[in-house]
Amino acid sequence: MSLAEELLELATATAREAGRMLVDKRPLEGPDVVQTKSSPTDVVTQMDRAAESLIIDRITAARPDDGFLGEEGGTREGASGVRWVIDPIDGTVNYLYDLPDWAVSIAAESGGVTLAGAVVLPRRGETYTAARGAGALLHGPSGTRELRVSPSVPLERALVATGFGYSAARRASQAQVLTGVLPAVRDIRRGGSCCVDLCALAAGRVDAYYERGVQEWDVAAGALIVQEAGGRVEGLRGAPAGPELTIAAGPGTFEALHTLLAGLDPLRD
């Protein structure tokens, strides 16, 4: 078994366990809000922290020398050269409202290269996995299938996923960009979870995705899944995908969406 396959096996098992815990222990009245981030719409819950703690504990038990980057503060240096990038609940507001599109996302990287990624959608019974150089898979209620992005979809026929930031000022700028995107594409979808949108792209359920403000833990696993499904994940004008802008699509569609966005000044806020 290669290192990437070993890391993927651990990521998948751990993400599934965290997902089961989040479903089983979710309070019926919604998780208690223990603090806010940049605005009241970005809630951090006790369950978020509990899931990250579970993930770090399980991985540390198997690989005690690895490092971590976690959304909820579970960050530490390691000695092995492997670092785990964790989003314990991507789509926290969906989780709070008991909407199904939230996920546990775990990626493993070495030398700045993502080797393995697992995204688990507990409410949908789906697990998306990828190991570098080995393709991407969807494990779901109807079985397992290989993932491929939709290639060369003309922009006017492309279903495009996106998301919005938490601050009012950023939302206002993103709304202005959206007014330039919407007339040029088939339609827009806003699901509320970056990694779920990326997995939907890999599965051919949407044709493209873009968003400003996503963090490393939001995209680490999902980006590898898209890439192993034949797609591109980058920022603007060759920059890496990241908080400034993340664009993802299949060949042909990516270039068209990039050109459209570049003309709309998407970094204006």
Side-chain angles (χ1 to χ4, degrees):
M1 182 182 295
S2 69
L3 176 60
E5 291 169 332
E6 177 186 334
L7 297 174
L8 179 58
E9 187 175 276
L10 180 57
T12 303
T14 304
R16 284 172 168 166
E17 182 181 355
R20 288 192 298 270
M21 183 273 288
L22 288 165
V23 171
D24 292 344
K25 294 189 176 182
R26 180 185 178 278
L28 294 178
E29 298 302 320
D32 296 329
V33 177
V34 295
Q35 71 180 68
T36 61
K37 290 183 184 173
S38 54
S39 81
T41 58
D42 184 15
V43 293
V44 180
T45 67
Q46 292 175 344
M47 298 305 295
D48 226 338
R49 295 179 183 275
E52 183 165 290
S53 179
L54 182 154
I55 291 165
I56 292 174
D57 287 349
R58 296 297 184 271
I59 294 174
T60 300
R63 297 182 55 89
D65 296 326
D66 290 355
F68 291 92
L69 173 64
E71 183 187 15
E72 300 307 322
T75 300
R76 73 166 190 242
E77 296 297 323
S80 68
V82 171
R83 184 177 73 156
W84 297 84
V85 184
I86 302 164
D87 195 341
I89 309 176
D90 188 37
T92 309
V93 175
N94 285 349
Y95 178 77
L96 186 68
Y97 280 76
D98 201 22
L99 295 169
D101 284 338
W102 57 271
V104 181
S105 175
I106 303 177
E109 63 178 30
S110 180
V113 176
T114 304
L115 299 180
V119 175
V120 173
L121 283 66
R123 287 295 193 192
R124 295 198 180 278
E126 295 181 341
T127 299
Y128 295 80
T129 62
R132 182 161 294 277
L137 298 173
L138 165 57
H139 315 265
S142 59
T144 298
R145 69 176 177 94
E146 186 176 357
L147 296 174
R148 298 302 300 173
V149 300
S150 301
S152 300
V153 178
L155 199 57
E156 64 272 16
R157 297 210 300 269
L159 186 61
V160 179
T162 192
F164 307 111
Y166 297 113
S167 73
R170 173 156 289 180
R171 285 172 179 260
S173 295
Q174 288 173 319
Q176 292 173 350
V177 173
L178 186 63
T179 62
V181 173
L182 190 54
V185 302
R186 181 190 294 273
D187 206 347
I188 292 289
R189 292 293 179 268
R190 194 280 200 258
S193 166
C194 168
C195 71
V196 174
D197 285 344
L198 288 169
C199 288
L201 171 61
R205 294 172 178 170
V206 298
D207 302 308
Y209 163 81
Y210 79 94
E211 187 168 352
R212 177 159 165 77
V214 298
Q215 302 298 320
E216 187 173 357
W217 46 78
D218 296 316
V219 301
L224 179 64
I225 291 166
V226 170
Q227 289 162 349
E228 288 296 322
R232 290 178 63 181
V233 185
E234 298 176 20
L236 199 63
R237 300 182 180 94
E244 286 208 335
L245 193 66
T246 295
I247 307 170
T253 311
F254 180 95
E255 292 83 356
L257 179 59
H258 177 279
T259 298
L260 174 63
L261 289 168
L264 295 174
D265 190 17
L267 315 185
R268 67 182 71 179
D269 61 298

